[in-house]
Amino acid sequence: MPIPDEVTGEEIDRPVRQELLSLPKTLAIDVARNLVMVAKLLDEDPERAYAYSRVALRLASRVGAVREAAGFAAYAVEKYAEALTEFRAARRMSGSDHLWPIMADCERGIGRPERALAMAGEPEVRRLDRAGQVEMRLVAAGARRDLGQPDAAVVTLQSPELASTAVHPWTARLRYAYADALLAVGRDGEAREWFAKAVEADSGGTTDAADRLAELDGVAFTDALDPDLDDEGADG
């Protein structure tokens, strides 16, 4: 896989660089450059990010950061069983529980929502930071919906974090999930309220809460670049 010359490997986080010190210097640089490409492409081109992750994995499969990156890349292309394998390996190597929620979500992806729910009740959840616990709650609510339990999904998302007026990186996603869960059980008015709250917290545009809110309000958007619109105008 070609890597641009300007990618040196120095761009990766210091903890990852520390892990790569166990490798010969030239190999460590090669692995680091591939990991940089994974990080750069994960959102915009997940298939290419996955390809770079496989190169890094082939070069240094005994490095926890490499296994974790490979897990996120596999997750991004919906290879959930593969992602789960990599996350489990990374967790064994690091001894950290921070991957627990995404491992549970992989179980959902594989088609085992009951396993994801079981993981939500494990002691590992209590060792997560606040962001991790919110993430676990989101996964558990998704698992409830997978199992055809939409009312239980609503209850699962009700928490001090949801009630808080403070805005954190996860606030918009939590409010959005709650709004969507309310909509699924026919509580449209409350859903609209929570989509609006999600919009307030979503300065980075991580959700489509604004579109969902507009949809509930009956607002229809048109694409100004749609050539069919010009045809319709000409006909009129």
Side-chain angles (χ1 to χ4, degrees), residues 86-106:
E86 299 304 336
F87 287 139
R88 283 173 173 166
R91 181 170 175 266
R92 284 196 303 270
M93 293 174 181
S94 69
S96 171
D97 294 315
H98 72 282
L99 293 171
W100 195 253
I102 197 168
M103 288 169 60
D105 206 39
C106 286

Side-chain angles (χ1 to χ4, degrees), residues 15-29 31 59-66 93:
V16 179
R17 288 205 302 271
Q18 288 293 116
E19 283 195 62
L20 296 180
L21 290 177
S22 62
L23 303 174
K25 185 175 181 180
T26 302
L27 179 59
I29 293 172
V31 173
L59 294 173
S61 62
R62 295 187 179 182
V63 176
V66 171
M93 293 174 181

Side-chain angles (χ1 to χ4, degrees), residues 231-236:
D231 294 340
E232 291 173 8
D235 293 341

Side-chain angles (χ1 to χ4, degrees), residues 22 24 47 90 95 108 113 125 133 151 193-194 205 213 227:
S22 62
E47 290 288 350
R108 287 185 60 212
V125 177
Q133 290 183 358
D151 290 297
E193 175 188 345
W194 281 98
L213 183 60

Side-chain angles (χ1 to χ4, degrees), residues 3 12 15 31-32 46 64-65 96 100 113 122 128 152 154 189 192 199 206 216 218:
I3 299 176
I12 60 175
V31 173
S96 171
W100 195 253
E122 297 284 354
L128 295 171
V154 170
R192 189 205 175 281
V199 171
T206 57
L216 284 173

Side-chain angles (χ1 to χ4, degrees), residues 144-182:
R144 288 293 186 189
R145 293 184 67 171
D146 294 343
L147 291 167
Q149 302 169 1
D151 290 297
V154 170
V155 174
T156 298
L157 291 167
Q158 293 169 348
S159 61
E161 290 82 10
L162 181 67
S164 173
T165 58
V167 175
H168 301 277
W170 37 260
T171 300
R173 291 177 57 240
L174 180 60
R175 292 177 179 179
Y176 181 96
Y178 188 57
D180 196 45
L182 288 168

